[in-house]
Amino acid sequence: MTDVDLLYTEVEDDLRTVVRSVLTAHCEPGAVTALYDGDRALVAGLWKNIAVDLGLAGLLVPEADGGAGASAREAAVVLEELGRFVAPVPFLTSAVVATTALLGSGSALLGQLAAGERTAALAVPLTTTAHGALPTVSADDGRLTGTVTSVAGALEADVLLVPATGPEGIALYAVSTSEARLTAVVSLDMTRQLADLEFDGAAGELVVADGEAAVRRALAAGTALLASEQYGVARWCLDETVAYLRERRQFGRVVGGFQAIKHRLADLYTAVESGNAAARYAAATLATDDADAPVAASVAQAFCSDLAVHAGEEAVQLHGGMGMTWEHPAHLYLKRAKADQLAFGTAGAHRVRLAELVEVPRP
């Protein structure tokens, strides 16, 4: 295992403070819950706050291309806070995954994404893994035909990055969302609503000739950094549950004082801290292009995806009857955690991948 510093730097702490301040002011739970009733008014304004006002859309874009020139470590801090607030913004899908696919392409679109002028989404199902088969549409002289289901970030995107198979293999095309037929899907997590895409001779601009390498690089970044979002979800669940149990009284005692409750919280705290370490290591190895990055990403996903769900379940249960209500935000976190459990491959898929990477034979 590579020796890296997992402690947060002063810059990362300052970044966290700024992002948390903006989210506290503009992303209150009631507005997030409204997304489940079809009210998506929060999304555009909040994304402007994050992408343009804070300049975080270009966090991973080199300075030469108009971005901040930061690394995956800083992006991970942002995702921790977005997870803490279950913020319905396309940072992961646009500023991480789509942006990473375009790095080194020389496309003018990269600068537009960095400036927050446009938002992009990679047109693959959210469940696609970095090491598995890549779903594609067909390309014929710049015209794309085919369907892609369960795409995250497409509803907020101005442009779709579409892997398409042509005579020379898989290439990556930029397609305006107006050229595609988008069908919104009622999703378990409506803060990251999915959409089905249909292309019928859509005009595409070739942006990356070696599309397979670009897509796999983008999915690898999404896999590694999703763990930080999952950690943020789990951290909120732990912190809010502990705060509630310190105040809630039953049978004349603070509920958090019961031994059985203490045991559950201690176990959850240990798991959350372990998740933080796994997510930090995945981000750190990705930031330095370390050879251990694929192992670190699969370790982080194998652990953090189940951790976030467990933390969400504990938050709902330990808040008692109140935790089961629509008005309490605990259900938002459990839904995000359950949806994230499938993103970029399940925990089981990453355990299988991890066994392959470290050459442990299957039973």
Side-chain angles (χ1 to χ4, degrees), residues 160 167 240 289 294 324 356:
L160 302 167
E240 289 299 311
D289 199 21
M324 299 295 293
E356 295 170 350

Side-chain angles (χ1 to χ4, degrees), residues 152-168:
L155 295 177
E156 294 79 32
D158 304 300
V159 60
L160 302 167
L161 299 182
V162 187
T165 302
E168 299 183 4

Side-chain angles (χ1 to χ4, degrees), residues 261-275:
I261 299 296
K262 287 182 178 180
H263 287 167
R264 289 175 69 169
L265 292 176
D267 289 344
L268 183 57
Y269 171 80
T270 302
V272 170
E273 289 299 307
S274 298

Side-chain angles (χ1 to χ4, degrees), residues 3-4 40 87 94 105 149 167 179 202 232 234 245 272 283 294 297 340 358:
D3 183 18
V4 296
R40 301 186 64 83
S94 182
S105 67
T149 60
E179 289 280 324
L245 294 176
V272 170
D340 280 358
V358 300

Side-chain angles (χ1 to χ4, degrees), residues 201-286:
E205 175 191 355
L206 178 65
V207 287
V208 182
D210 188 358
E212 181 170 358
V215 172
R216 292 196 185 281
R217 182 176 67 244
L219 293 174
T223 300
L225 293 179
L226 177 64
S228 293
E229 177 182 287
Q230 291 164 329
Y231 161 70
V233 168
R235 174 60 70 179
W236 181 93
C237 292
L238 173 64
D239 291 347
E240 289 299 311
T241 302
V242 169
Y244 172 75
L245 294 176
R246 282 176 172 170
E247 301 294 331
R248 180 77 169 98
R249 301 183 69 87
Q250 193 172 39
F251 306 118
R253 293 179 57 185
V254 173
V255 173
F258 289 98
Q259 192 74 1
I261 299 296
K262 287 182 178 180
H263 287 167
R264 289 175 69 169
L265 292 176
D267 289 344
L268 183 57
Y269 171 80
T270 302
V272 170
E273 289 299 307
S274 298
N276 186 22
R280 288 291 291 168
Y281 187 65
T285 54
L286 181 65

Side-chain angles (χ1 to χ4, degrees), residues 123-124 146-151 154 160 180-183 195-199:
V124 298
T147 60
V148 187
T149 60
S150 303
V151 177
L160 302 167
R181 183 179 294 110
L182 275 69
T183 303
D196 294 339
L197 313 179
E198 183 178 350
F199 303 96

Side-chain angles (χ1 to χ4, degrees), residues 93-170:
T93 53
S94 182
V96 173
V97 176
T99 294
T100 300
L102 289 174
L103 292 179
S105 67
S107 172
L109 178 58
L110 190 60
Q112 296 167 358
L113 295 182
E117 298 171 359
R118 303 178 80 183
T119 302
L122 184 62
V124 298
L126 184 59
T127 55
T128 307
T129 66
H131 52 275
L134 295 182
T136 65
V137 301
S138 62
D140 183 9
D141 196 23
R143 294 286 177 172
L144 308 186
T145 303
T147 60
V148 187
T149 60
S150 303
V151 177
L155 295 177
E156 294 79 32
D158 304 300
V159 60
L160 302 167
L161 299 182
V162 187
T165 302
E168 299 183 4
I170 299 175

